[in-house]
């Protein structure tokens, strides 16, 4: 009996310690992402959905998208990514009775910015497919939804395109002939650790689990080139083997929230 009580107390203690260690991450309880499974990822204009702490429209956020346990907020200079780890329940046996113990939900915000980017780059939606009306006590607002999102001239001669890939966020850099893909540098703030696994994927460890970016793909004239991630502290970039600078180059990857790699209790 004492042993079982001790085990339960230890489990509760671990839950609370885990929550306490990541309490700073729980800053988005009202704006945390909903849990969506398998829904197509689309891009909505921010007309009234995202507000600042004063309740006014956050004009820095131009578009938003929702994926499984993740929310993306697109700004001119980068992305805010809101990740959620839902509350978890575990059952233990005590005196022939099953007791449920629940850990709290955890939220974390990651900031991805593009170092050295063109601050005048244009951000716009493409392939509009519907308009959604939001109702509130004061007025209604309409927001257009798009299937793709573009940054033009993010770097000299380099555009960026976002789209859906199996309900995940896919992105693709388009490098025009004569320009340098090595201008592309992404800084990731608030990650616990950034590493590359044995599959060539970029693993961004957070309080909510591991955010994984697929091994990059580089294509030139329809043919794949060898490419890999490069990590320099908080900044990530690409290294492409022997690209032809006189030809157009595509570099792409996509995000996934890897729950199988979430911190174990």
């Amino acid at each position: 009996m004492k042993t079982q009580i001790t085990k339960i107390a230890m489990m509760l203690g671990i839950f609370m310690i885990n929550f306490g260690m990541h309490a700073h991450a729980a800053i988005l309880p009202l704006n945390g992402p909903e849990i969506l499974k398998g829904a197509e990822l689309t891009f909505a204009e921010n007309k009234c959905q995202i507000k600042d702490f004063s309740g006014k429209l956050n004009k820095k956020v131009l578009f938003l998208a929702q994926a499984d346990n993740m929310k993306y907020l697109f700004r001119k200079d980068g992305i805010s990514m809101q990740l959620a780890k839902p509350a978890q329940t575990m059952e233990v046996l005590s005196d022939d009775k099953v007791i449920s113990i629940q850990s709290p939900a955890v939220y974390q915000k990651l900031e991805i910015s593009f170092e050295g980017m063109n601050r005048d780059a244009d951000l716009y939606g493409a392939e509009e497919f519907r308009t959604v009306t939001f109702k509130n006590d004061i007025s209604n607002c309409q927001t257009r939804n798009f299937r793709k999102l573009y940054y033009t001239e993010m770097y000299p001669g380099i555009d960026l395109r976002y789209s859906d890939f199996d309900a995940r966020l896919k992105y693709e850099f388009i490098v025009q002939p004569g320009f340098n893909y090595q201008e592309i540098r992404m800084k990731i703030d608030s990650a616990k650790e950034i590493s590359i696994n044995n599959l060539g994927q970029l693993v961004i460890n957070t309080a909510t689990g591991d955010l994984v970016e697929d091994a990059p793909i580089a294509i030139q004239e329809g043919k794949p080139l060898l490419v890999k991630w490069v990590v320099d502290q908080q900044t990530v970039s690409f290294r492409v083997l022997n690209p032809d600078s006189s030809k157009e180059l595509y570099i792409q990857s996509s995000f996934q929230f890897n729950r199988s790699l979430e911190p174990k209790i």
Side-chain angles (χ1 to χ4, degrees):
M1 175 66 178
K2 289 184 179 180
T3 302
Q4 290 172 329
I5 292 174
T6 302
K7 288 182 179 179
I8 294 172
M10 290 177 63
M11 291 175 183
L12 282 169
I14 292 171
F15 275 136
M16 295 311 296
I17 290 171
N18 183 62
F19 177 65
M21 288 175 63
H22 305 309
H24 69 281
I27 58 175
L28 303 167
L30 299 180
N31 294 323
E34 300 173 5
I35 300 173
L36 302 180
K37 304 281 184 186
E40 178 186 6
L41 189 147
T42 60
F43 307 94
E45 295 176 308
N46 178 32
K47 294 296 186 181
C48 56
Q49 308 96 302
I50 306 298
K51 297 179 173 60
D52 59 24
F53 289 108
S54 67
K56 296 181 179 179
L57 178 68
N58 186 335
K59 294 183 178 181
K60 291 184 178 180
V61 177
L62 302 180
F63 291 88
L64 61 150
Q66 175 78 57
D68 182 9
N69 288 344
M70 297 176 65
K71 182 183 288 184
Y72 303 94
L73 307 181
F74 298 90
R75 309 182 313 272
K76 287 277 287 187
D77 61 345
I79 316 172
S80 294
M81 303 177 68
Q82 298 179 1
L83 294 83
K85 179 182 178 182
Q88 295 179 322
T89 301
M90 66 182 299
E91 295 181 341
V92 296
L93 184 64
S94 176
D95 289 339
D96 298 325
K97 294 181 180 180
V98 176
I99 300 176
S100 295
I101 303 175
Q102 188 175 59
S103 67
V106 179
Y107 301 96
Q108 173 154 350
K109 185 177 181 180
L110 282 181
E111 297 286 350
I112 299 180
S113 57
F114 300 98
E115 293 186 338
M117 71 169 286
N118 171 22
R119 297 295 176 177
D120 294 323
D122 190 21
L123 173 61
Y124 64 94
E127 297 186 20
E128 180 181 348
F129 73 103
R130 71 179 178 187
T131 299
V132 177
T133 300
F134 291 88
K135 297 182 179 181
N136 54 47
D137 296 335
I138 301 175
S139 62
N140 299 339
C141 79
Q142 291 187 328
T143 177
R144 294 180 296 168
N145 283 250
F146 302 89
R147 286 197 163 91
K148 292 182 180 178
L149 197 62
Y150 285 86
Y151 285 89
T152 57
E153 287 290 315
M154 170 169 278
Y155 296 98
I158 301 175
D159 297 338
L160 173 59
R161 175 171 58 205
Y162 288 107
S163 59
D164 170 76
F165 176 67
D166 193 24
R168 296 189 280 130
L169 181 65
K170 174 184 175 180
Y171 63 91
E172 182 175 49
F173 289 99
I174 305 164
V175 185
Q176 299 299 321
F179 292 92
N180 186 5
Y181 78 90
Q182 292 179 314
E183 296 278 353
I184 303 167
R185 300 184 307 279
M186 295 172 282
K187 185 178 180 182
I188 304 172
D189 287 319
S190 302
K192 295 169 63 177
E193 183 181 6
I194 304 172
S195 61
I196 302 170
N197 65 18
N198 56 9
L199 298 177
Q201 298 170 315
L202 187 73
V203 181
I204 305 168
N205 184 249
T206 77
T208 57
D210 284 341
L211 178 64
V212 178
E213 292 193 49
D214 292 334
I217 297 172
I219 299 174
Q220 200 164 54
E221 289 195 319
K223 299 178 182 179
L225 300 177
L226 292 176
V227 57
K228 65 179 182 178
W229 289 108
V230 176
V231 178
D232 181 8
Q233 297 181 350
Q234 292 180 300
T235 300
V236 299
S237 57
F238 305 101
R239 182 169 298 159
V240 183
L241 183 63
N242 298 326
D244 187 339
S245 61
S246 68
K247 298 174 181 177
E248 195 171 52
L249 173 66
Y250 296 84
I251 304 174
Q252 64 187 33
S253 184
S254 58
F255 291 98
Q256 58 180 301
F257 188 49
N258 194 339
R259 283 176 297 281
S260 67
L261 296 179
E262 287 181 13
K264 300 289 190 300
I265 292 177

